[in-house]
Amino acid sequence: MIDAQTVALTRFVAGSQRLILPRPMHAIRGIAVSPGIAFGRALTLSSTVDNVEFRTVAPDLVAAELVRLQHALESTCQDLDQLVESTRARLGDEPAKIFEFHRSILRDESLIRMMRGDIQREHVVAEYAASEALQKFAATLRAVEDEAFQSKAADVVDVERRLVGALMGASDERLKRLEGPVVVVAHELTPTQAAELHRLRVVAFATDGGGLTSHTSIFARALGIPAVTGCTNATELVEEGDELIVDGDTGTVIVRPNDEARAHYAVESGRIAERRKALLAVAGEESITRDGVRIELLGNIELPEEIPFIFENGGEGVGLYRTEYLYLTTGRTPTEQEHYEAYVEAVRQSAGRPLTMRTLDLGADKYTQEHLEEPERNPFLGLRSIRFCLDRPAIFKTQLRAMLRASAHGPLKIMFPLVSTVMELRQAKMHLRDVAEELEEEGIPFQRDVAVGIMIEVPSAAIMARSFAGEADFFSIGTNDLIQYTVAVDRGNEKVASLYSPAHPAVLQLIKSVIKAAKHSSIDVSLCGEMAGDPLFTILLAGLGLRTFSMSPSQLPSIKRLVRGMDIGHCEWVARRVGSFEADRQVINYLRDETRRIDPEALVGQLH
Ligand code: PEP
Ligand code: MG
């Protein structure tokens, strides 16, 4: 047990008090990643249990924070009660004592007083108070020159993780106490957290880190909620409960706005709604250039329920279904039946129109790291996407079975992500053949001629596109990854965001050669990275020969309006001119002028 002296010592080393001053309005500049303006109260979230950030709450929320701490202490103690019982039953008394000790830490009055004191005096969030008190207690134990004490420090850290985990998992409870719409503020948000926002009252988010094409940003665009990333210190400047305005068009977050700021953004928000209404008028029109060339416009989705938005916005079908979001929304490995039901729903919603399903793109920033004992040192270059699936054939085949079974209900295509060698494509196709044979033997219906394509997302695949074209039915160019691997810039790192450029001549050359290789082998090629929905690149991509674009559904109307004003002869001329430029700035300036010439409104409210 812990003696009073140790606890007293712990209290002594607890941090000094913070001065609480009135806090004026503040404007934070970041990266505009999802357009629109939102008004709400701040909910601050920590991204990991390992790194609990210093966060404070507004004075009127201090009492609620104390209640939250109390609930977490109780629920963690209950979990430990069960653990004590189950450990005793399975392993005997001795091991069960470890968890009894953990429980006693959480019931220690002095520690609880310390946590409560920090919340009351400094207005810190409960997880910070809990983490601080237990971390300091662990440090004190480590400093005692007695091995018995030192070894207890690890137990205290274990308890800290458990309690902080309970507090962080209880964001729903915190949401409930905030009235009206909520803006999530975090250092970083994982795609899993972003997927969770989907079902909550969240109207916007602002993060310290993150870039334009991080998966979290993509998800914000898909949900149509304004977002600003790369805010650097939003989590320090914002307190839970603060009133916020998020301007996802200019990348600004207004903290504690005054009346003037509120009035200004109310007018801006009205303007955006008007513009959106005007744009939607084009949704029902045909996607055809002035000189009669058809451009197919498709939508990217994460969940089947987004498919109606594609049609409402004038898209013709699904160009990219990011199936891994089933993992992210449930936080666990789905069963074959769960996969199957989601895919049948996608087939049903698509009603015979194009539907391209991508096999699991887990790894890197999505899902796997959070479930690994030892996270990868370099996850974006690690066991992600098709590599992960080939390494875990059981997981891969479960998904492939569900996809083939869903094909019995309507047309669909299958594509593999992040393929970097022809051998990977062959292995993936072999698994698909195995699964087809199994279904055949079991007498389960499926479509026998499902088209199988690949995403071109790494330079090795782009350079070898002609070889791949002989073995794939179609290509889909994933520029979000292709850019990061070509220019060696992490797509989610705000510190190098200015180097992450779709207009880099090296990226454009790769895109050009992939389109050419596909044409040479008479296979279809589309582009489904965020670049497809950026009007700045529409003329250029059409000029390079691209005829299928797949994008976030909300971007469809502005791209369609631009397409209807374009002339392919002119696009080809522009593409030739761009081919002679050596710097991305030159490309951007030139494309901006040419785009405005066709549609002066095309770039209004766009993210560059
Ligand atoms: C891409 O990399 O361009 C792509 C569409 O895939 P994701 O954004 O899901 O990585
Ligand atoms: Mg990708």
Side-chain angles (χ1 to χ4, degrees):
M1 287 301 127
I2 303 146
D3 61 84
Q5 202 185 353
T6 316
V7 174
L9 189 57
T10 311
R11 200 174 318 147
F12 175 73
V13 293
S16 59
Q17 285 194 20
R18 202 174 58 99
L19 261 173
I20 296 163
L21 298 169
R23 295 144 50 251
M25 177 174 120
H26 195 91
I28 304 172
R29 291 308 307 263
I31 305 168
V33 296
S34 181
I37 290 173
F39 304 79
R41 292 244 274 160
L43 173 77
T44 53
L45 291 184
S46 279
S47 43
T48 63
V49 177
D50 298 325
N51 179 24
V52 184
E53 293 127 19
F54 179 85
R55 298 273 168 69
T56 52
V57 296
D60 60 326
L61 295 178
V62 166
E65 212 53 27
L66 291 170
V67 172
R68 208 160 70 80
L69 174 68
Q70 189 56 34
H71 286 171
L73 284 166
E74 281 164 17
S75 76
T76 312
C77 277
Q78 277 164 14
D79 289 350
L80 285 167
D81 285 344
Q82 281 176 9
L83 210 53
V84 169
E85 289 315 313
S86 60
T87 309
R88 184 171 290 129
R90 271 187 308 123
L91 307 169
D93 276 347
E94 248 348 90
K97 280 192 182 139
I98 298 171
F99 298 117
E100 279 177 1
F101 172 57
H102 288 194
R103 194 173 50 190
S104 72
I105 297 173
L106 288 179
R107 289 185 177 152
D108 187 285
E109 280 302 322
S110 336
L111 276 171
I112 295 172
R113 257 201 312 280
M114 194 183 303
M115 294 173 199
R116 291 177 60 85
D118 277 358
I119 296 173
Q120 281 161 331
R121 274 193 316 275
E122 303 193 30
H123 299 184
V124 290
V125 291
E127 43 271 59
Y128 186 81
S131 174
E132 279 289 287
L134 291 166
Q135 283 282 348
K136 281 176 178 153
F137 184 31
T140 312
L141 291 174
R142 272 186 220 110
V144 178
E145 279 185 25
D146 180 329
E147 236 181 79
F149 270 86
Q150 287 171 0
S151 67
K152 295 275 185 263
D155 289 285
V156 177
V157 172
D158 199 6
V159 171
E160 181 221 348
R161 289 176 65 94
R162 208 176 267 284
L163 182 59
V164 169
L167 281 160
M168 282 174 52
S171 51
D172 277 8
E173 199 182 314
R174 292 164 63 196
L175 259 179
K176 274 188 219 134
R177 70 187 196 203
L178 293 174
E179 275 174 23
V182 167
V183 175
V184 167
V185 180
H187 186 58
E188 294 265 13
L189 280 175
T190 64
T192 310
Q193 284 175 316
E196 269 177 11
L197 302 181
H198 179 62
R199 60 184 179 79
L200 306 173
R201 271 182 298 124
V202 173
V203 292
F205 73 75
T207 58
D208 293 343
L212 184 63
T213 63
S214 67
H215 286 105
T216 310
S217 305
I218 289 173
F219 208 64
R221 284 195 286 281
L223 297 174
I225 63 172
V228 179
T229 63
C231 296
T232 317
N233 58 351
T235 49
E236 284 166 30
L237 294 165
V238 176
E239 288 192 346
E240 183 144 328
D242 271 347
E243 183 185 345
L244 300 181
I245 300 175
V246 176
D247 178 351
D249 284 34
T250 62
T252 313
V253 180
I254 308 290
V255 189
R256 301 174 290 274
N258 57 22
D259 289 347
E260 203 183 330
R262 274 192 214 105
H264 168 78
Y265 279 102
V267 172
E268 271 307 298
S269 156
R271 264 201 211 124
I272 290 174
E274 284 298 313
R275 205 160 55 220
R276 179 98 203 126
K277 219 163 105 192
L279 262 180
L280 271 177
V282 89
E285 308 282 336
E286 217 184 337
S287 176
I288 190 160
T289 62
R290 287 193 338 176
D291 49 348
V293 176
R294 258 190 53 74
I295 304 283
E296 188 181 30
L297 300 183
L298 304 172
N300 296 346
I301 58 158
E302 285 68 35
L303 301 164
E305 51 263 41
E306 293 169 65
I307 295 176
F309 294 127
I310 298 178
F311 301 131
E312 280 164 30
N313 283 288
E316 297 165 53
V318 179
L320 167 66
Y321 174 9
R322 293 183 165 100
T323 60
E324 60 278 3
Y325 273 79
L326 196 54
Y327 277 70
L328 305 184
T329 46
T330 57
R332 58 175 175 77
T333 305
T335 62
E336 180 183 323
Q337 189 60 19
E338 284 168 327
H339 279 294
Y340 171 72
E341 282 166 18
Y343 305 156
V344 169
E345 179 58 15
V347 169
R348 195 184 66 75
Q349 298 266 12
S350 299
R353 285 168 282 191
L355 169 60
T356 301
M357 307 177 88
R358 175 173 79 182
T359 59
L360 297 171
D361 187 15
L362 295 169
D365 57 343
K366 282 187 247 165
Y367 189 77
T368 58
Q369 302 304 308
E370 302 140 44
H371 296 257
L372 285 178
E373 275 287 298
E374 243 182 84
E376 288 179 285
R377 222 175 320 146
N378 214 336
F380 276 92
L381 300 179
L383 196 64
R384 66 168 289 204
S385 306
I386 195 67
R387 302 170 187 176
F388 175 81
C389 287
L390 294 176
D391 189 61
R392 314 277 163 97
I395 289 180
F396 192 33
K397 284 172 135 180
T398 300
Q399 176 177 46
L400 292 176
R401 259 182 82 93
M403 282 184 172
L404 282 187
R405 283 174 57 202
S407 73
H409 298 266
L412 60 84
K413 295 180 188 175
I414 294 177
M415 71 176 167
F416 304 124
L418 209 88
V419 174
S420 60
T421 71
V422 172
M423 275 315 289
E424 281 172 334
L425 172 58
R426 290 184 189 153
Q427 280 175 29
K429 284 171 78 173
M430 192 187 70
H431 286 304
L432 188 62
R433 270 196 305 275
D434 285 353
V435 166
E437 270 171 30
E438 278 169 31
L439 292 177
E440 189 86 59
E441 278 165 22
E442 292 168 36
I444 297 174
F446 65 97
Q447 194 189 323
R448 276 166 186 72
D449 54 353
V450 170
V452 179
I454 59 167
M455 290 195 67
I456 303 279
E457 304 185 89
V458 285
S460 64
I463 292 164
M464 299 303 288
R466 281 216 181 180
S467 307
F468 283 102
E471 309 200 21
D473 297 325
F474 63 92
F475 288 159
S476 187
I477 308 174
T479 43
N480 302 340
D481 278 312
L482 186 61
I483 297 165
Q484 84 165 339
Y485 294 125
T486 303
V487 295
V489 172
D490 178 346
R491 62 193 263 191
N493 183 343
E494 74 288 356
K495 293 192 184 70
V496 284
S498 62
L499 291 173
Y500 181 92
S501 176
H504 193 299
V507 173
L508 300 180
Q509 271 194 35
L510 288 179
I511 293 173
K512 181 177 166 183
S513 71
V514 173
I515 296 172
K516 215 163 142 195
K519 293 249 145 87
H520 179 264
S521 299
S522 304
I523 65 167
D524 288 339
V525 56
S526 65
L527 192 147
C528 65
E530 294 302 296
M531 194 176 174
D534 186 340
L536 187 68
F537 297 102
T538 313
I539 300 174
L540 170 64
L541 292 171
L544 290 174
L546 191 76
R547 296 293 177 264
T548 304
F549 293 60
S550 189
M551 64 200 75
S552 178
S554 60
Q555 291 298 102
L556 286 161
S558 51
I559 301 295
K560 188 182 276 189
R561 195 165 89 173
L562 184 54
V563 163
R564 290 175 58 79
M566 289 176 354
D567 186 289
I568 286 293
H570 170 251
C571 295
E572 286 168 352
W573 186 81
V574 167
R576 273 196 298 278
R577 186 87 207 276
V578 166
S580 69
F581 296 154
E582 287 175 351
D584 67 339
R585 256 297 121 203
Q586 243 177 322
V587 175
I588 290 169
N589 292 342
Y590 175 62
L591 290 179
R592 193 178 280 152
D593 291 346
E594 291 300 319
T595 307
R596 284 195 182 134
R597 227 191 289 261
I598 294 170
D599 179 354
E601 292 273 298
L603 301 175
V604 177
Q606 294 301 323
L607 308 168
H608 2 78

